[in-house]
């Protein structure tokens, strides 16, 4: 469906007001709860409630009667907002694919530190712009799933940085090890798993989530050998409140401490790093995908909330190959 001339005009007016009102915005939308409330109010035609969600600058720029006119016309032309899907964050706006009864639009939203909407923009959706919008990323705030400093063996967006990029599900995955000051991942001759610094190290939940899958009982490999028939080895899949599926793979045999159906808190012990599955040495494989099963999944790029990278503090950052990383707190 194409917008009528009047709805296009209203979108343009709304764009001009909101872009002016969001000057000075400090941080992007958190967690999607604001958008959910906005959608609920919109579908109930509770436009007064939408207006109450605006910052004072938004209210000044777009008074109540104009807010009601805009959303009344949007509801008439587009219908109910039946589904919204987070896509990316850019320049302090969280972008969503908004699927209405009669059309699909981009919805860009930002909020101030008080949780008030200070930027809101609808624009026409098209497949080409979806491809240009950016990589799907996590909405849930993440910490690194381990203690101490680890080394990014594979990570990043290019084949040189990350051999996983050829896999749709694993394209944003990390392989993480522990190294000494010389860059070696093991003590002595590296012939046993116990020689490897990462082997047996505790692995922890990177956020609050629910355990939805556990694989246990896979033997740890002899270093240098691999088990491609049991790809992830001993592994865990966690589901976040915003439907992100976190896969942690290659746990040590019989080390997993959680069960399917259990809710875990950020920092809770999950198990120990091992060398099971398609793994040649002790390491952690970690990535986010859009469904429980690896087959057919699409990968999300993972940004960690706050971490130290080569000794420098980073926020909302996705590590790349050859960086040393640890949690900042």
């Amino acid at each position: 469906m194409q917008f009528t001339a009047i709805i296009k005009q209203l979108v343009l007016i709304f764009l001009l007001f909101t872009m002016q009102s969001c000057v000075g915005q400090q941080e992007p939308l958190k967690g999607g709860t604001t958008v959910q409330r906005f959608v609920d109010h919109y579908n109930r035609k509770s436009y007064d409630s939408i207006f109450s969600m605006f910052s004072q600058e938004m209210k000044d720029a777009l008074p109540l009667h104009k807010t009601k006119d805009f959303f009344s016309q949007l509801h008439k032309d587009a219908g109910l907002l039946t589904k919204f899907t987070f896509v990316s964050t850019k320049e302090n706006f969280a972008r969503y694919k908004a699927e209405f009864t009669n059309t699909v639009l981009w919805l860009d939203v930002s909020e101030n530190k008080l949780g008030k909407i200070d930027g809101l923009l609808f624009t026409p959706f098209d497949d080409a712009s979806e491809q240009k919008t950016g990589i799907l990323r996590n909405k849930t705030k993440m910490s690194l799933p381990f203690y101490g400093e680890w080394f990014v063996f594979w990570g990043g967006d290019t084949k040189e940085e990350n051999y996983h990029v050829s896999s749709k599900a694993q394209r944003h995955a990390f392989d993480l090890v522990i190294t000494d000051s010389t860059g070696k991942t093991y003590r002595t001759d590296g012939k046993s798993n116990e020689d490897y610094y990462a082997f047996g190290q505790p692995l922890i939940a990177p956020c609050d989530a629910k355990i939805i899958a556990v694989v246990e009982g896979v033997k740890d490999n002899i270093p240098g050998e691999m088990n491609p028939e049991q790809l992830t080895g001993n592994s865990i899949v966690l589901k976040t409140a915003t439907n992100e599926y976190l896969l942690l793979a290659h746990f040590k045999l019989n080390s997993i401490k959680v069960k399917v159906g259990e809710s875990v808190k950020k920092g809770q012990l999950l198990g120990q790093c091992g060398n099971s599955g398609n793994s040649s040495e002790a390491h952690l494989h970690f990535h986010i995908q859009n469904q429980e099963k690896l087959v057919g999944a699409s990968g999300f790029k993972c940004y960690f909330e706050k971490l130290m990278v080569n000794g420098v503090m980073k926020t909302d950052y996705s590590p790349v190959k050859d960086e040393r990383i640890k949690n900042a707190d």
Side-chain angles (χ1 to χ4, degrees), residues 16-286:
L16 293 174
F17 279 124
T18 55
M19 290 304 286
Q20 291 170 10
S21 69
C22 73
V23 174
Q25 165 70 11
Q26 295 298 313
E27 54 189 30
L29 195 69
K30 304 182 185 72
T33 56
T34 299
V35 171
Q36 182 64 69
R37 288 193 293 119
F38 165 79
V39 171
D40 291 343
H41 294 326
Y42 169 81
N43 284 336
R44 292 198 302 267
K45 299 184 180 181
S46 182
Y47 307 139
D48 287 4
S49 297
I50 291 178
F51 185 76
S52 71
M53 296 178 69
F54 289 169
S55 67
Q56 188 58 54
E57 293 79 9
M58 279 281 287
K59 291 177 178 178
D60 292 342
L62 202 75
L64 180 58
H65 71 279
K66 289 187 177 180
T67 298
K68 288 182 175 180
D69 288 346
F70 173 80
F71 286 110
S72 293
Q73 189 64 55
L74 180 65
H75 209 291
K76 179 180 178 181
D77 280 30
L80 294 172
L81 208 172
T82 58
K83 182 180 179 181
F84 63 97
T85 306
F86 176 81
V87 175
S88 64
T89 300
K90 185 177 182 181
E91 297 178 355
N92 300 319
F93 278 82
R95 167 156 282 198
Y96 294 82
K97 180 180 180 182
E99 299 179 46
F100 294 81
T101 307
N102 302 323
T103 192
V104 180
L105 300 173
W106 289 121
L107 167 59
D108 295 322
V109 190
S110 69
E111 65 177 335
N112 62 22
K113 288 186 175 180
L114 299 177
K116 294 292 186 179
I117 293 175
D118 64 357
L120 185 65
L121 169 64
F122 290 95
T123 50
F125 172 89
D126 62 83
D127 292 336
S129 64
E130 184 175 28
Q131 295 301 318
K132 295 176 183 177
T133 276
I135 299 166
L136 290 175
R137 57 155 293 163
N138 55 300
K139 292 179 283 185
T140 304
K141 291 182 178 180
M142 297 282 170
S143 63
L144 296 169
F146 46 73
Y147 302 115
E149 186 177 75
W150 289 52
F151 182 79
V152 183
F153 191 83
W154 292 116
D157 299 330
T158 67
K159 288 183 179 180
E160 292 73 22
E161 295 172 326
N162 195 351
Y163 89 99
H164 298 100
V165 296
S166 60
S167 166
K168 185 178 179 182
Q170 302 181 63
R171 55 187 170 182
H172 304 301
F174 302 102
D175 279 349
L176 302 152
V177 297
I178 299 177
T179 63
D180 60 22
S181 59
T182 68
K184 289 176 61 177
T185 58
Y186 56 87
R187 311 171 187 87
T188 63
D189 57 11
K191 291 184 178 180
S192 71
N193 284 315
E194 288 74 16
D195 287 340
Y196 288 79
Y197 298 113
F199 191 76
Q201 290 297 311
L203 300 176
I204 57 178
C207 62
D208 294 353
K210 186 174 182 178
I211 306 296
I212 61 167
V214 173
V215 175
E216 181 59 286
V218 182
K219 292 181 180 179
D220 288 291
N221 302 319
I222 297 171
E225 298 182 5
M226 302 175 77
N227 178 5
E229 294 182 0
Q230 295 169 299
L231 189 65
T232 62
N234 303 307
S235 55
I236 297 173
V237 178
L238 302 92
K239 181 181 179 182
T240 71
T242 48
N243 296 319
E244 297 142 335
Y245 295 80
L246 285 55
L247 174 63
L248 290 85
H250 312 310
F251 282 79
K252 181 181 177 182
L253 176 65
N254 297 328
S255 75
I256 292 177
K257 305 298 183 184
V258 293
K259 297 179 180 179
V260 172
E262 181 179 348
S263 293
V264 295
K265 292 293 185 181
K266 174 184 170 181
Q268 183 173 333
L269 180 65
L270 300 177
Q272 297 175 5
C273 182
N275 186 29
S276 58
N278 197 39
S279 171
S280 60
E281 68 172 83
H283 76 285
L284 169 65
H285 172 101
F286 174 78

